[in-house]
Amino acid sequence: MDSQKINPFRHEYFLGYINQVLPQFVKVHFPSSVLLNGFTHFGKEFNGGLVGNFVVIEGSACGFLGRITELTLPESERLSLSEKAFQTRDFHPSGKIEILLSFDLYNPLTVKKGLTSYPNIGAKVFVSSGDLVQEYMSRFGMKTNDTVNGVSLGHLVSDPSIDVKINLQSIFGRHCAVVGTTGGGKSFTVSKLVEALIKTGNKGILIDATGEYDGNYERTKNVNIGDGQAIFHYSQLTIDDLFFMLKPSPRTQTPKLMEAIRSLKMVRISNGKDLKYDGKQIPIDSGLVKKNGCDKRPYEVFYYKNISKIEDGLADFDFTKLAKQITEECIFDNGTTWGGTSTNDVSYCVSLISRVNNLGNTPELNQVFGFQEEKSENDITDLINDFVSADNVDESLLRLNLKNVKYDFQVRETLVNAIGKYLLNKARAGEFEKSPIVVLIDEAHQFLNKSIKDEYFETKPLDSFDSIAKECRKYGLFLCIATQMPRDIPRGTLSQMGTFIVHRLINFNDKEAISNACSTANKNTLDFLPILGEGEAIVTGVDFPMPIIMKFEKPEEEPSSETPRLKLNR
């Protein structure tokens, strides 16, 4: 659209005059209630002055786009209200207008950053054309030289004839959060965003917590986790991840577990050969370091020579030997030598050894982390590498289906955090700068605010996605979280979300979480949250000079999110 041909201040669109200016809003006087009626102009329908409709205000230095938030009649005219009076008399209503943005008078499509001025008393108010609002929305988040190329996602709630076309950079470029109560349309919105990514040739990784996104998306690789089809091998986990699942007590079990892990990593580095130094040696038998009665010197020399590999934080050792190695660590320390078995230490570690055996022998966990297997080509890290590779031009979506992953041992949280940590390290290495990746996490409250803290154990939270939210935008790794409980998302993560797609929210704490995290969501707009219908949402954020109240179109591939229905009759 040629901005030189746009005239938002046509006489035919006139509504009224500004009669009061306040910092939060302006008030408008309508000379006649007839001006509020809908009308048709050059074949286009205008709704007139209804609550929620857009208007433009002609200022002295710039123009303003606003939304009507309130209509009222003078007290003197309310007394004469009747059906006949409306047909024969002329009323003089007034209203409130929330100013959304300001624009250049001579180039109306040029939006000015910030609201540096206000309309004057007596400024004229006009109905806004749908084309003007549509052009604004398609330009949100664009740089000066970018081509206008918005993706159609739905239409305005106040005017279904106005399509909402939004640049994907404005949605994902500063991270995105899709929130809303059950039944508000959150899953459909995520599916619509996934389809938009695929159609525009971008790449996304969808972490499907419940398996509901099982539609036949184009250019998609589906990976089922938890049934043995693909595993995230435990050697790619961190020591913190293992601690999270094993929960060792801090005073007695944690030191023994750390020593056992160090010993097993030394076995792998030495290829199972005995540790020797200066005529002394520590035998390695059946993959175990036998310290009982040995001099410490060979162990210490080997440790400091290979300290970077041993202390790299990864669980790269033979997990099947861990329980027995913990027992081998339960020995007396005589300073420069080790003594015999300490029965007290063994008794203290019995519960830890039991958890290790349980972890390694539980089929559901082996099908996720492969505790009994060697790393294979079917590892999730390899699948991620193949997907994000520049050589992969056939697939745009990698869907990781967690439907069959059990909830025991915090395995789901640990798995998703490990995937996040793997992507975080790749982003820090600069692998996504030329080909950005969007990671979409459904039911994000299950994964993003988890840590273990009880009377036995305390460790770091699972915070890889918190780190992604805080530092990875500049690396080309973007985050899109979907949740029905934003209050359960860490405040630091939520505050990094530059774009919010907010469906119906009723809970006070959820609304407060959004209000605190999203600076552009003003009070007037948030008032719409409890009354939004299915599929309706408020889209707001850093790259959106004004909030958009819109209804998302149904995606081509609808997620399986239907609620089972009860019998109505016997």
Side-chain angles (χ1 to χ4, degrees), residues 122-314:
K124 291 182 179 180
V125 180
F126 302 84
V127 175
S128 174
S129 72
D131 290 339
L132 182 65
V133 176
Q134 194 175 73
E135 286 294 322
Y136 282 142
M137 292 186 295
S138 65
R139 283 169 163 77
F140 290 165
M142 285 178 47
K143 301 293 184 183
T144 305
N145 298 324
D146 288 349
T147 303
V148 179
N149 189 21
V151 177
S152 180
L153 297 177
H155 59 261
L156 290 179
V157 171
S158 60
D159 189 348
S161 66
I162 303 178
D163 290 334
V164 176
K165 296 181 179 180
I166 304 178
N167 189 310
L168 285 185
Q169 187 68 29
S170 66
I171 295 179
F172 297 118
R174 298 178 184 270
H175 306 308
C176 175
V178 183
V179 301
T181 56
T182 302
K186 171 174 56 65
S187 299
F188 277 50
T189 296
V190 172
S191 186
K192 189 71 178 176
L193 294 176
V194 166
E195 291 177 352
L197 281 171
I198 295 173
K199 288 179 180 178
T200 53
N202 291 287
K203 286 185 178 181
I205 298 176
L206 173 62
I207 298 177
D208 187 355
T210 59
E212 63 180 300
Y213 299 94
D214 54 359
N216 296 316
Y217 297 109
E218 297 178 355
R219 298 165 54 82
T220 298
K221 182 176 182 63
N222 289 293
V223 178
N224 296 319
I225 306 173
D227 59 2
Q229 177 181 331
I231 63 172
F232 192 101
H233 196 257
Y234 73 87
S235 62
Q236 301 299 306
L237 296 175
T238 65
I239 304 300
D240 285 335
D241 294 331
L242 279 185
F243 272 47
F244 187 77
M245 290 188 282
L246 292 173
K247 307 183 187 70
S249 60
R251 292 186 178 180
T252 55
Q253 296 179 355
T254 294
K256 297 302 180 185
L257 178 58
M258 282 305 306
E259 285 301 319
I261 290 173
R262 290 190 184 103
S263 296
L264 292 176
K265 295 186 82 168
M266 292 167 73
V267 171
R268 176 150 291 184
I269 295 169
S270 68
N271 293 319
K273 295 179 180 179
D274 294 348
L275 307 181
K276 299 179 181 180
Y277 180 76
D278 196 22
K280 302 177 180 66
Q281 74 175 39
I282 299 175
I284 293 179
D285 183 18
S286 301
L288 300 174
V289 178
K290 303 286 188 175
K291 297 179 179 179
N292 196 322
C294 293
D295 191 289
K296 290 185 178 180
R297 192 65 177 157
Y299 183 94
E300 291 172 346
V301 170
F302 188 90
Y303 173 78
Y304 286 110
K305 280 185 178 179
N306 298 278
I307 190 170
S308 61
K309 291 182 180 179
I310 296 171
E311 302 293 353
D312 62 1
L314 293 176

Side-chain angles (χ1 to χ4, degrees), residues 4 10 54 138 214 401 477 560:
Q4 301 298 326
R10 300 175 67 101
F54 291 100
S138 65
D214 54 359
N401 180 15
L477 180 59
S560 307

Side-chain angles (χ1 to χ4, degrees), residues 370-390:
F371 287 116
Q372 304 288 342
E373 304 175 19
E374 291 292 327
K375 190 173 184 292
S376 68
E377 295 180 356
N378 210 26
D379 193 83
I380 292 172
T381 56
D382 294 329
L383 297 175
I384 291 175
N385 287 338
D386 293 341
F387 175 75
V388 302
S389 169

